[in-house]
């Protein structure tokens, strides 16, 4: 991505510097600065050649970042915060000043992962907690809530988030620090907010991996049943009565005795389960198209 950005604009400042510093490839960035004509080329080359593992140069980078922030050069301030080893401030600028939480998440994943070697990414955790989770709760967004738990490697909770409401999931099953006055909006409380595809994904995941199955078994049968009824109501409003009937007819409620004993523990966490009738719906062949026959116009003769 960084290489493509540079090929398009031939300007190593801005996002190009942000990407390479997030990847901790400062020497490549220095090489790019040497190949272009830029008003700040000499200043940047002189500054980048310093050792930013030393406290002195980290402080200098942070001072420059705040100066650039005062000049409203937000993207430049962001990568100077990375030089000063202050990635959270960098992500705050991207999410707040540039209104780009997606870019903030990308930087958090790249920079945070390189620091902690695939352990819990605390930087990503903080970015999600501040800029993604509140909107997911307000909007009742089960997709985003499930993605959040998947990102922090809580797969058993990620499948539960497909069924349970986001605010219940966050308040009861996580260590996220959410504001006490945070409430679900009126739009987020509407049952039309839910996506019928959620139940299909839920069924598919629990039939494939043991981690997801264990998570699904922590959902009460009443919660599962109520969500199925809600999905059927949405299908009915969409005019898809057949899909609603198919869901009700073929849905199965898994239990620990039925599924955990059948799981193959020596198969990398995957389940060897027979496909359910619900999953076979996608494999049904479409009905054969009927040839259209032009009606006999004599039938429209009314004797006039």
């Amino acid at each position: 991505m960084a290489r493509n950005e540079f090929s398009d604009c031939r300007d190593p400042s801005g996002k190009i510097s942000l990407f390479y510093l997030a990847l901790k490839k400062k020497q490549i960035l220095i090489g790019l600065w040497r190949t272009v004509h830029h008003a700040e080329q000499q200043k940047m080359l002189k500054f980048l050649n310093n050792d930013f593992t030393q406290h002195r140069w980290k402080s200098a980078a942070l001072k420059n970042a705040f100066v650039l922030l005062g000049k409203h050069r937000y993207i430049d301030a962001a990568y100077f915060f990375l030089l000063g080893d202050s990635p959270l401030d960098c992500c705050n600028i991207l999410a707040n000043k540039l209104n780009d939480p997606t870019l903030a998440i990308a930087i958090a994943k790249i920079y945070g992962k390189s620091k902690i070697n695939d352990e819990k990414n605390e930087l990503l955790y903080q970015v999600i907690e501040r800029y993604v989770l509140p909107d997911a709760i307000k909007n009742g967004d089960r997709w985003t809530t499930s993605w959040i738990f998947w990102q922090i490697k809580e797969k058993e909770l990620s499948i539960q988030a497909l069924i349970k409401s986001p605010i219940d999931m966050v308040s009861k099953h996580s260590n996220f620090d959410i504001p006490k006055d945070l409430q679900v909006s009126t739009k987020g409380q509407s049952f039309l907010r839910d996506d019928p595809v959620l139940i299909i994904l839920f069924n598919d995941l629990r039939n494939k991996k043991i981690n997801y199955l264990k998570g699904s078994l922590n959902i009460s049968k009443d919660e599962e049943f109520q969500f199925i009824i809600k999905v059927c109501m949405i299908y009915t409003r969409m005019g898809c009565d057949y899909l609603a009937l198919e869901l009700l007819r073929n849905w199965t409620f898994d239990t620990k005795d039925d599924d955990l004993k059948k799981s193959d523990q020596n198969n990398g966490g995957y389940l060897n389960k027979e496909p359910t009738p619900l999953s076979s719906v996608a494999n049904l062949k479409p009905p054969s198209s009927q040839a259209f026959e032009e009606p006999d116009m004599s039938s429209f003769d009314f004797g006039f």
Side-chain angles (χ1 to χ4, degrees):
M1 183 185 294
R3 189 184 300 112
N4 292 336
E5 286 277 349
F6 182 73
S7 299
D8 292 338
C9 64
R10 304 295 298 178
D11 184 356
S13 63
K15 286 187 177 181
I16 289 89
S17 292
L18 182 68
F19 292 149
Y20 277 111
L21 291 176
L23 292 167
K24 297 185 180 296
K25 295 184 177 181
K26 190 184 72 170
Q27 294 303 319
I28 296 178
L29 180 60
I30 291 174
L32 294 179
W33 274 101
R34 287 173 178 165
T35 61
V36 298
H37 296 286
H38 194 279
E40 298 178 343
Q41 181 188 34
Q42 296 303 319
K43 291 181 180 179
M44 287 300 299
L45 285 174
K46 183 178 179 181
F47 191 75
L48 287 173
N49 278 307
N50 294 310
D51 184 5
F52 290 96
T53 60
Q54 298 179 11
H55 178 72
R56 171 193 173 186
W57 294 112
K58 283 184 180 180
S59 298
L62 294 177
K63 289 179 181 178
N64 282 319
F66 284 111
V67 170
L68 292 168
L69 194 59
K71 295 180 179 180
H72 304 287
R73 293 174 57 180
Y74 299 125
I75 194 70
D76 294 325
Y79 67 75
F80 267 91
F81 274 120
L82 288 184
L83 277 174
D85 196 25
S86 183
L88 183 58
D89 289 323
C90 170
C91 294
N92 287 338
I93 291 174
L94 297 176
N96 284 327
K97 301 299 184 180
L98 297 179
N99 196 26
D100 195 347
T102 304
L103 182 58
I105 290 171
I107 297 301
K109 292 183 72 173
I110 297 170
Y111 194 89
K113 183 178 179 180
S114 63
K115 290 188 68 175
I116 54 181
N117 298 323
D118 294 331
E119 296 295 330
K120 180 181 177 181
N121 190 334
E122 189 64 32
L123 176 60
L124 177 63
Y125 192 94
Q126 291 178 324
V127 172
I128 287 175
E129 183 180 61
R130 293 186 182 187
Y131 303 111
V132 182
L133 187 60
D135 287 339
I137 294 175
K138 287 179 183 178
N139 298 326
D141 190 347
R142 286 179 167 86
W143 283 112
T144 303
T145 308
S146 179
W147 174 84
I148 288 171
F149 284 111
W150 185 78
Q151 284 293 322
I152 63 174
K153 304 185 185 305
E154 294 284 356
K155 293 186 177 181
E156 293 184 14
L157 294 179
S158 70
I159 191 171
Q160 295 179 42
L162 296 173
I163 302 295
K164 297 181 179 180
S165 66
I167 193 166
D168 288 341
M169 285 297 304
V170 174
S171 60
K172 296 179 181 179
H173 303 286
S174 73
N175 296 321
F176 285 114
D177 184 17
I178 59 174
K180 295 182 179 180
D181 58 345
L182 186 62
Q183 296 181 352
V184 184
S185 65
T186 304
K187 184 178 179 180
Q189 293 176 359
S190 172
F191 76 96
L192 294 175
R193 178 67 183 172
D194 297 320
D195 190 343
V197 181
L198 287 167
I199 201 70
I200 307 299
L201 177 61
F202 172 81
N203 186 63
D204 186 62
L205 289 175
R206 70 175 180 175
N207 288 329
K208 286 188 175 180
K209 294 204 71 175
I210 187 67
N211 287 342
Y212 291 121
L213 176 60
K214 289 179 179 178
S216 69
L217 295 175
N218 291 321
I219 300 173
S220 68
K221 296 299 176 282
D222 183 62
E223 289 176 319
E224 190 174 338
F225 175 76
Q226 291 299 328
F227 192 75
I228 292 171
I229 296 300
K230 185 185 295 186
V231 169
C232 290
M233 291 175 64
I234 297 174
Y235 274 140
T236 303
R237 290 175 67 97
M238 293 168 59
C240 302
D241 295 355
Y242 174 76
L243 292 178
L245 291 172
E246 189 72 21
L247 179 63
L248 289 172
R249 181 175 181 270
N250 294 316
W251 188 264
T252 57
F253 292 89
D254 290 337
T255 61
K256 294 182 180 180
D257 292 337
D258 291 339
D259 291 298
L260 290 180
K261 290 181 180 179
K262 294 179 183 178
S263 63
D264 185 4
Q265 301 295 339
N266 298 319
N267 195 27
Y270 288 89
L271 294 173
N272 290 330
K273 293 182 66 177
E274 295 295 329
T276 62
L278 185 64
S279 62
S280 64
V281 173
N283 299 324
L284 292 177
K285 295 182 179 180
S288 59
S289 58
Q290 298 179 354
F292 176 75
E293 296 182 1
E294 188 73 26
D296 185 4
M297 296 305 295
S298 62
S299 59
F300 295 97
D301 185 7
F302 298 103
F304 296 116

